[in-house]
Structure formats: C-alpha cells, structure tokens
Amino acid sequence: MSIRTLDDLLAEGVSGRRVLVRADLNVPLDKQTGQITDDGRIRAVLPTLGALVEAGAKVVVCSHLGRPKGAPDPQFSLSPVAGRLGELLGAPVHFATDTVGDSARSTVADLADGQVALLENLRFNAGETSKDEAERGAFADQLAAFGDAYVDDAFGAVHRKHASVYDVPARLPHVAGRLVLREVEVLSKLTSEPERPYVVVLGGSKVSDKLAVIEALLPTVDRLLIGGGMCFTFLKAQGLEVGTSLLEKDMVETCRNLLERADGKILLPVDVVVADAFAPDAAHDTVRVDGIPSHRLGLDIGPETVAGFAAALSPAKTIFWNGPMGVFEMAAFAAGTRGIAEAITKADAFSVVGGGDSAAAVRALGLDESSFGHISTGGGASLEYLEGKTLPGIAALEN
C-alpha cells in the first residue's frame, strides 16, 4: 500500500499545528447509567493520540457513537467518552457540545499545543452519512476546517463511505494512524500467505452476515469451524431439526451448497446447549444436535463441540476468529465462547480476533488480551477486508 503514516507526519513536525484525528470511539454504554461498559476502542487509539500530544500538536478528535438519525440525541452523546479519554491520557479533554457549530469552533480555537479536544457525535449531522455527495462534501468542508492535517485511526469505520472517513482526506494532507496501520498489516497476513494450517472460527447470529466471507475463505482455509446462532441454519441444511433456534430459512439451500463444496473443511457442532427461553435463568441442558427438542432453542455450543473445535485449532499456525459461539452475555451460555477463546490462546499460532462481539467477549470474560496475536477494533471492516473488498477509508488514504 502507498499510504503515508503517522511517523511521516511526525517527522515533518506537528508542533502548534491542528491535527484532525478520526477515531472509532463507538463504545457500548449502559442504557440505565450511561456508563461505558467496554473502553477497548478508546484504549486502542491512545498510541496515536499520545504521540501527537507529545509532539505538541493541537489534537482535534472526531468520532461517531451508535446510530442517531442525523440529529442530536442525548443517549448517543460522546460526553462520557471525553471523560474516559481524559482519564486514560492523563489530561483533560476539551469537549465540544456540537460537531461543527459554535461550540466546536471555539473549542478548537482555544486549544493550546499538546491539548486534545473531542467533537460531539459526527452522526448528529446528517452530512456525515449522507449518500448525497454534495451534502456529504459540505459537511467534510466544515470538518476539514478544523485541521491542518488529517489522521485516520478509525479502522472500525474504514468500510463506510462517510464524510469524516472518505471525503475529509481529499481536503487535507492525510496519513494512517498507528491502529489503522497495524490492522492492515495484520489482515494482509491472512490474505497473502498465511502460515498453515490456517483455521477460521466463525460465530454470531446470521449466516447472511457472514456469507461473503465464507465464500472468500473456503478456498484458502484448511478448516472452518462454525458455531453461534448461524450454526443452526447449517444443521438444518443437513436435515436436522433445530427446534425454535435461530434459523434463516431462506439460507438453508445456500448452506447446503456450501457444505457440498467445502470438501470436509467445514466443522459443525455435535452438541449444543438448549434452553426453554432466551433468558439468563432459563432451564437448560446439553443435547446432541440430532436430538434438539422442538420447543427448545440452542444458545451455545456444547462441551463435545468445544473439545472437537479445540482439537482442530491445536495444530493451527494461523487462526482468525469472528463471532461468539453462544450468548456469552448470559453466564449459562458463555462456556462455548470461553472454551474456544482459551483453545485459541493455547495453540502455537498467530491469532487474530476479528473485532465486534468477539473482542467484547474476550474482555467481558476476563481473558488475557495479550495472549492473542491481535484483537481487531473493526468487526465489519475486518470481514470486508478478508472478502477482498475495497474499503473506502483505506482507498482515501492511498489517494
């Protein structure tokens, strides 16, 4: 890739210059308290922000959070993020209560060298996500006015053709931040010449969400292990009954075709944990996949499956994992995800956790993050990269 990096920008000197940083601070918030429940994405951008602060830049950070409808919505405010970011940086973060309005202009104007400002949620402005290029461009003009240079360190958003990701780089000297650079370096290892055996673990709820990456990976992987809610559509394709488990009926034939073409590469669960209801205290037990009761639903893979998947992971030299094996947020249905995560850490392999719910599970289950080779911050972006798609944010940095 012909992308300039943060080190290139630092070498030119940034002291006293305004640097606009697109970060991915889209962290989960507790609906009752508004408190951040997982600050992993905030911590991921610290190396880039810290380097700019140390070099004396006036750092203007922008990000989205959630899916507001192009207008201010208090439940999606980045205010809690500003507080946590300040704690992690060890210095106050000046928070603008709007995106490109009076508060943003005055907050940026008042920055001293080495200080950091955070603009309010980009998606409070309809121009950020607009498909109308003129509207998106007008918003990008306003954002670009806050910087003398632009750094993209929001890997979780590079697959979006949004103003702050795609249009702003065309208006400012632009570089990739340390996180984006690391993500691309890691994922390129998986798409070029991965050390073999190369084993991929896919989970999550829907086959339709992962179909493109399954199609792309099948010719290149040695084993593909499938768990989570999506496994039930594959089990149905094998002619098994899945009770009231999550099922995409319109994908059954597609799954049947994938299994026929996979030449034995796809490994499915042999047992699952079934429950009476989707609830943390629901009555549950483990059954073979050919014995799922008609009135019950599967919420996790079973211990035999964990053992079988672990055996397939053990000889691997390269592992990519995206998607939990069950409803890990409920203790009764977390054992499958924990078991697979632990099996990945025990393998003598270069392991990549593909962002999203998988990264959240690693932290929620209290697993040692350093025991994985890399934990991505971008679930959707990492999948699209592996599919071979052109990512708008990366293309904008290459231009």
Side-chain angles (χ1 to χ4, degrees):
M1 288 191 312
S2 55
I3 290 180
R4 297 179 72 244
T5 69
L6 179 67
D7 287 338
D8 295 325
L9 180 63
L10 294 172
E12 295 168 1
V14 294
S15 181
R17 297 175 67 192
R18 299 168 307 152
V19 179
L20 181 66
V21 179
R22 176 52 161 104
D24 179 9
L25 306 177
N26 184 28
V27 294
L29 301 175
D30 185 284
K31 290 182 179 179
Q32 304 300 321
T33 66
Q35 297 294 306
I36 296 166
T37 58
D38 180 358
D39 66 1
R41 283 179 170 160
I42 304 175
R43 288 186 283 114
V45 78
L46 293 178
T48 288
L49 298 184
L52 289 167
V53 167
E54 188 176 338
K58 299 175 179 179
V59 186
V60 182
V61 184
C62 60
S63 176
H64 72 285
L65 192 154
R67 296 179 180 272
K69 307 296 185 184
D73 184 337
Q75 69 175 315
F76 296 115
S77 175
L78 280 168
S79 178
V81 175
R84 182 59 180 147
L85 181 57
E87 290 173 4
L88 293 169
L89 286 172
V93 168
H94 304 270
F95 182 62
T97 56
D98 57 28
T99 305
V100 290
D102 292 341
S103 177
R105 285 190 290 269
S106 63
T107 301
V108 172
D110 290 344
L111 279 179
D113 296 358
Q115 290 188 333
V116 178
L118 175 63
L119 306 180
E120 184 54 286
N121 193 335
L122 291 167
R123 292 184 181 175
F124 285 1
N125 189 305
E128 167 68 358
T129 60
S130 177
K131 289 183 168 52
D132 182 284
E133 298 211 357
E135 183 180 18
R136 213 175 57 237
F139 182 54
D141 289 339
Q142 292 176 291
L143 275 178
F146 293 142
D148 302 306
Y150 170 86
V151 178
D152 189 345
D153 216 28
F155 182 75
V158 294
H159 59 315
R160 306 293 188 193
K161 194 174 182 179
H162 291 170
S164 63
V165 175
Y166 182 76
D167 300 279
V168 171
R171 290 156 169 79
L172 291 172
H174 49 269
V175 302
R178 297 214 163 126
L179 173 63
V180 163
L181 195 64
R182 171 68 176 157
E183 295 271 15
V184 172
E185 286 173 348
V186 165
L187 291 172
S188 66
K189 283 185 182 181
L190 302 184
T191 55
S192 52
E193 289 294 329
E195 192 176 354
R196 297 188 179 278
Y198 176 23
V199 180
V200 171
V201 185
L202 292 181
S205 57
K206 294 183 177 180
V207 178
S208 53
D209 291 342
K210 305 282 170 74
L211 178 61
V213 78
I214 293 172
E215 294 272 12
L217 287 171
L218 261 185
T220 63
V221 303
D222 296 296
R223 298 304 297 271
L224 178 57
L225 319 181
I226 293 179
M230 63 188 288
C231 78
F232 295 103
T233 304
F234 278 94
L235 293 173
K236 187 71 172 178
Q238 290 185 318
L240 298 173
E241 288 306 318
V242 296
T244 59
S245 305
L246 188 64
L247 175 66
E248 290 182 280
K249 292 181 180 178
D250 59 339
M251 297 296 295
V252 171
E253 187 59 34
T254 300
C255 290
R256 188 175 291 118
N257 291 335
L258 285 170
L259 290 168
E260 289 173 358
R261 289 163 39 207
D263 196 26
K265 287 183 180 181
I266 293 178
L267 199 59
L268 294 174
V270 294
D271 63 340
V272 292
V273 180
V274 294
D276 291 341
F278 187 89
D281 57 352
H284 60 278
D285 55 90
T286 303
V287 300
R288 302 283 299 178
V289 292
D290 58 0
I292 299 174
S294 61
H295 64 288
R296 307 187 90 184
L297 73 162
L299 295 179
D300 195 13
I301 58 173
E304 267 194 69
T305 299
V306 171
F309 282 12
L313 287 162
S314 180
K317 291 299 179 184
T318 305
I319 297 171
F320 176 74
W321 170 35
N322 180 277
M325 297 293 98
V327 188
F328 72 91
E329 299 91 343
M330 301 178 188
F333 312 111
T337 300
R338 179 184 293 280
I340 295 308
E342 290 175 345
I344 291 171
T345 65
K346 290 173 184 172
D348 181 21
F350 175 66
S351 59
V352 179
V353 180
D357 287 341
S358 317
V362 167
R363 290 187 280 268
L365 296 173
L367 302 169
D368 182 4
E369 294 181 47
S370 66
S371 57
F372 298 90
H374 178 71
I375 298 180
S376 178
T377 56
S382 62
L383 289 178
E384 291 196 16
Y385 191 97
L386 294 184
E387 289 166 25
K389 288 185 177 179
T390 297
L391 306 183
I394 301 298
L397 294 176
E398 289 178 319
N399 293 334

